[in-house]
Amino acid sequence: MASFVLYEAVLRSPQADAHQLRHLLEASRLRNVVVQVLPFERAIPAALMGPMVLLETRDHERFAFTESPLASELSADPGAVSRVTERLSMIRTQALSPDESARFIERMVNQS
């Protein structure tokens, strides 16, 4: 399973074109992929602290990767993984649902 929350600013970047947005829509329709959009008006401070990734191996080892302007960190520390998990959970509650996100991206494709 792969789950992504994308900030609206990423989708509106000059580097994101209609072809890429359509590809994102296609990927979001896969049964093992979830895509959510965090609109500008729903952004919370936790979402603006930089990119993050949560990973779980087949052996159920969990890792958290975070980036900030000053440093990047990959950690297996349970406390660090828990903090990133909590941060991502807060962001997901503010993001559009997967269906709303697909409609949001479709509107962006139609506007371009």
Side-chain angles (χ1 to χ4, degrees):
M1 171 71 136
S3 177
F4 305 90
V5 179
L6 303 171
Y7 187 40
E8 181 177 350
V10 171
L11 301 174
R12 295 199 183 278
S13 164
Q15 288 80 23
D17 62 20
H19 174 75
Q20 290 170 320
L21 294 173
R22 280 192 291 275
H23 183 72
L24 181 60
L25 276 172
E26 289 173 23
S28 73
R29 292 183 181 116
L30 298 172
R31 63 180 173 76
N32 62 335
V33 175
V34 175
V35 174
Q36 290 180 265
V37 173
L38 180 65
F40 290 131
E41 66 272 6
R42 293 190 182 186
I44 56 175
L48 304 176
M49 294 170 55
M52 65 184 143
V53 177
L54 288 170
L55 301 168
E56 185 171 337
T57 68
R58 290 181 185 180
D59 297 328
H60 305 289
E61 295 175 290
R62 297 182 69 199
F63 297 91
F65 175 78
T66 57
E67 269 186 68
S68 73
L70 301 176
S72 298
E73 179 184 13
L74 176 64
S75 178
D77 174 67
V81 172
S82 178
R83 285 188 297 279
V84 172
T85 301
E86 184 178 310
R87 184 174 147 211
L88 182 57
S89 294
M90 291 184 336
I91 293 167
R92 278 189 172 142
T93 65
Q94 296 302 309
L96 300 174
S97 73
D99 288 340
E100 292 169 322
S101 295
R103 288 191 296 275
F104 184 95
I105 297 168
E106 285 170 354
R107 284 192 303 274
M108 290 185 67
V109 168
N110 293 333
Q111 291 171 359
S112 57

